[in-house]
Amino acid sequence: MKDKKDTPKRGSGVRLEWKRAPVPETKRIELLPVEQYRSGEHDSENAPGMFIEGDNLQAMRALLDSGYGGKIDMIYIDPPYSTGRRFTARTSPRKENRPPVDVDAYEDSWTGGLEGYLQMMYDRLAAARELLAEHGSIYVHLDWRAAHYVKIVLDEIFGMENFQNEIVWCYREAINSKLRWNRKHDLIFMYSKCDRFTFNYREVLEPHAEANLKKYRHEDELGRYRLMGRGLKGSPIRSARDVSPDWEKMRPELTYRHYLKEGRLPVDYWMIDIVNQASCERTGYATQKPITLIERMLRASSNPGDLVADFFCGSGTLPSAAHRLGRRWIACDSSPISADVTRRRMLSSKTPADFDILRPKGKKAPSAGKLQAVSKASENSVDIELVSYKSKATAAGENNGLDLITFWAVDPAYDGKVFRPVWWTCKGARNSAVKFKANWIKVNPNEAGKARILACDIYGGETFYVIDD
Ligand SMILES: C[S@@+](CC[C@H](N)C(=O)[O-])C[C@H]1O[C@@H](n2cnc3c(N)ncnc32)[C@H](O)[C@@H]1O
């Protein structure tokens, strides 16, 4: 890279350089499953979902090494936007009288400024291209800050001929600026790998405008229609629109029925509300995107059963949407808060998702604190009650305690490698509370391994507790 003197400033005749390679070299890691969530029986079969906690370039490299090259049908990424800011996640502790706590989720500032940011993006986009199937597409979500520079990187990696759309996502939000036009849209670039890419336009048809609907006044067994003149030479009604049905009775050869199509063909500007404070899908993760936005891309560019991925997963919007639409998914994020929020989101959905959590070999989740529990075992089951908790992350003088716990689960026979809970409770997106008691948890006296609790707190840390210690 260039020396400091050469570092371009935004808006000063930018000359950008990045190290180019099909898949940039990075530290090789082995991904190991550490948690396994199943709504039915645990089995060895792969789950439809996989969350990788760690750096996404290393994760993508590891996926390529384990045979995922060309296997992902659709990728959506919503990376940091080069804002120079730090983003938080807000959680309200269980007790009502406690104020919400804002915890750092991730940092969006880059060594080398814009150039450093673009190098980071170049490396990840190059790896993402290798993972994408031939018929696949990638959607890259950005805003006014870096979008136009990343577009050039995308052109280089995917080829200008594979640029398909610049989608403008418009949203209503507080309008404050009197200095310039208020910035109320994001940009989403869509690229394919070749010209035979999946695009299910029927899945994303838009509703007709009311005024248009009104024109289709008649109806028969085929649907709603307008009666039109055929445009024949010498016809008294020529190409007239909305002619009287009398013409059809008297001179059917001069008319035809124009049927209302299922919907309007989709366009590249979308008006979708942001996840506002009152929204029941709100997780507290600062840059959470609306699920309807991601569902729209998934419906158009993938089919049920396809494998889709988001390597900057944040609050788990893509995994949630994929689960709802019956797609298999891979998600990755380096923030422990993302792991906690995504895990809870997937488990508190109407039908809990089956998924695995993977981490690079040797990497542990940040340790959370000290948990105390009491248990009462009978022959085939155990009752557990949490009695106290002290988080390491709580500053002196701040309240501590059980209500900082966002999630806990019980594996009755932990094998020391993969935590396979048979029971869990969590703070869900709809503000459901964490229970502190678990009754009748089935244990199999013949199974090796000790019963364990895994608990997470609002700071994203994890604590293990051995029940029969
Ligand atoms: C804009 S947020 C994504 C928000 C997400 N679309 C949602 O709906 O919640 C960007 C995410 O990228 C993650 N991230 C940034 N750099 C990363 C890296 N190198 N590897 C993995 N995740 C990264 C951050 O932790 C953050 O959660």
Side-chain angles (χ1 to χ4, degrees):
M1 299 296 278
K2 298 178 292 183
D3 64 30
K4 244 189 175 169
K5 188 162 61 80
D6 238 343
T7 304
K9 292 198 177 63
R10 252 174 250 192
S12 61
V14 179
R15 190 167 62 88
L16 297 165
E17 283 179 8
W18 43 81
K19 288 184 197 139
R20 294 157 164 90
V23 180
E25 261 324 305
T26 182
K27 188 179 152 203
R28 297 276 162 127
I29 52 158
E30 190 186 342
L31 289 173
L32 296 178
V34 286
E35 294 168 42
Q36 218 175 61
Y37 296 89
R38 300 289 185 271
S39 40
E41 291 292 302
H42 278 282
D43 55 36
S44 57
E45 284 204 16
N46 290 338
M50 177 200 297
F51 178 92
I52 304 169
E53 189 181 332
D55 173 69
N56 49 18
L57 183 56
Q58 290 178 5
M60 285 192 260
R61 179 73 264 175
L63 289 170
L64 286 167
D65 290 344
S66 51
Y68 278 90
K71 295 277 164 52
I72 302 184
D73 300 290
M74 186 268 198
I75 298 176
Y76 163 81
I77 56 167
D78 175 26
Y81 298 169
S82 185
T83 58
R85 286 172 50 195
R86 177 174 290 180
F87 290 94
T88 58
R90 169 166 289 197
T91 318
S92 305
R94 190 170 181 261
K95 276 188 196 147
E96 243 110 76
N97 55 359
R98 275 196 168 188
V101 180
D102 288 323
V103 181
D104 282 349
Y106 70 98
E107 178 90 42
D108 180 12
S109 36
W110 308 89
T111 315
L114 178 63
E115 201 159 355
Y117 170 80
L118 290 175
Q119 181 72 60
M120 179 281 289
M121 288 301 291
Y122 182 92
D123 294 351
R124 271 113 191 126
L125 290 167
R129 189 184 179 281
E130 297 303 304
L131 288 166
L132 198 61
E134 275 308 296
H135 59 267
S137 26
I138 182 167
Y139 290 77
V140 182
H141 190 146
L142 298 153
D143 76 0
W144 57 274
R145 293 174 181 89
H148 305 89
Y149 302 104
V150 176
K151 166 82 172 55
I152 296 166
V153 175
L154 282 161
D155 282 342
E156 179 174 317
I157 292 173
F158 288 89
M160 275 169 101
E161 68 284 9
N162 292 319
F163 166 65
Q164 300 303 340
N165 280 117
E166 172 184 295
I167 296 163
V168 181
W169 168 39
C170 309
Y171 40 82
R172 273 180 284 264
E173 215 189 18
I175 290 179
N176 308 316
S177 178
K178 292 177 184 159
L179 286 177
R180 62 176 76 84
W181 308 103
N182 279 271
R183 294 165 174 151
K184 296 297 158 197
H185 75 268
D186 285 4
L187 295 170
I188 304 170
F189 297 123
M190 175 194 171
Y191 281 74
S192 58
K193 238 173 145 172
C194 66
D195 55 6
R196 297 176 317 280
F197 56 95
T198 305
F199 192 70
N200 306 317
Y201 75 91
R202 282 176 192 280
E203 293 291 322
V204 285
L205 291 173
E206 300 189 9
H208 290 288
E210 205 46 47
N212 194 34
L213 276 179
K214 279 189 187 146
K215 292 179 189 161
Y216 292 78
R217 287 186 271 139
H218 311 290
E219 195 163 355
D220 65 14
E221 65 288 355
L222 296 179
R224 286 171 73 165
Y225 66 89
R226 294 170 79 175
L227 199 59
M228 316 285 254
R230 255 186 214 287
L232 301 176
K233 220 174 167 186
S235 158
I237 53 172
R238 298 265 175 87
S239 309
R241 290 153 184 242
D242 303 313
V243 295
S244 155
D246 292 341
W247 279 106
E248 191 181 38
K249 274 188 213 140
M250 292 178 313
R251 306 280 307 274
E253 74 282 7
L254 300 184
T255 66
Y256 75 98
R257 295 178 177 191
H258 185 271
Y259 289 93
L260 181 66
K261 302 221 167 65
E262 301 154 79
R264 225 160 31 96
L265 290 172
V267 291
D268 61 1
Y269 54 92
W270 305 351
M271 189 76 219
I272 295 177
D273 287 337
I274 54 161
V275 183
N276 61 35
Q277 290 192 354
S279 165
C280 61
E281 66 181 89
R282 193 175 175 90
T283 60
Y285 207 87
T287 44
Q288 180 183 354
K289 301 300 178 299
I291 197 159
T292 41
L293 179 80
I294 316 247
E295 278 186 354
R296 199 160 163 71
M297 296 176 245
L298 281 177
R299 281 183 199 281
S301 297
S302 69
N303 294 303
D306 276 0
L307 181 60
V308 300
D310 180 352
F311 295 103
F312 294 85
C313 143
S315 65
T317 313
L318 177 121
S320 254
H323 175 56
R324 271 180 20 176
L325 298 177
R327 273 64 166 169
R328 294 172 297 129
W329 54 272
I330 298 177
C332 174
D333 204 291
S334 48
S335 163
I337 307 284
S338 161
D340 175 44
V341 175
T342 304
R343 184 200 283 113
R344 288 190 280 123
R345 203 165 171 188
M346 302 316 291
L347 293 175
S348 58
S349 80
K350 255 189 204 154
T351 47
D354 286 359
F355 63 102
D356 296 341
I357 297 187
L358 287 84
R359 271 200 212 109
K361 188 176 178 180
K363 186 175 174 251
K364 288 206 160 86
S367 127
K370 204 163 166 43
L371 181 73
Q372 288 295 326
V374 287
S375 62
K376 209 169 113 204
S378 62
E379 201 181 334
N380 295 318
S381 73
V382 61
D383 295 344
I384 301 166
E385 182 172 359
L386 302 191
V387 288
S388 73
Y389 178 67
K390 198 163 168 18
S391 165
K392 282 186 185 169
T394 310
E398 274 179 12
N399 282 330
N400 217 316
L402 281 179
D403 59 314
L404 296 181
I405 289 179
T406 51
F407 160 88
W408 66 284
V410 183
D411 177 350
Y414 181 58
D415 65 5
K417 289 181 187 142
V418 185
F419 184 77
R420 299 181 176 86
V422 295
W423 181 95
W424 56 76
T425 173
C426 59
K427 191 173 166 50
R430 283 172 212 84
N431 243 352
S432 53
V434 178
K435 297 175 193 140
F436 293 145
K437 277 186 188 175
N439 291 327
W440 297 104
I441 295 178
K442 269 197 196 158
V443 287
N444 180 350
N446 301 324
E447 251 175 333
K450 287 189 167 184
R452 286 250 190 167
I453 294 174
L454 170 65
C456 301
D457 70 12
I458 60 174
Y459 304 104
E462 294 186 2
T463 303
F464 265 121
Y465 179 85
V466 183
I467 292 173
D468 55 354
D469 251 357

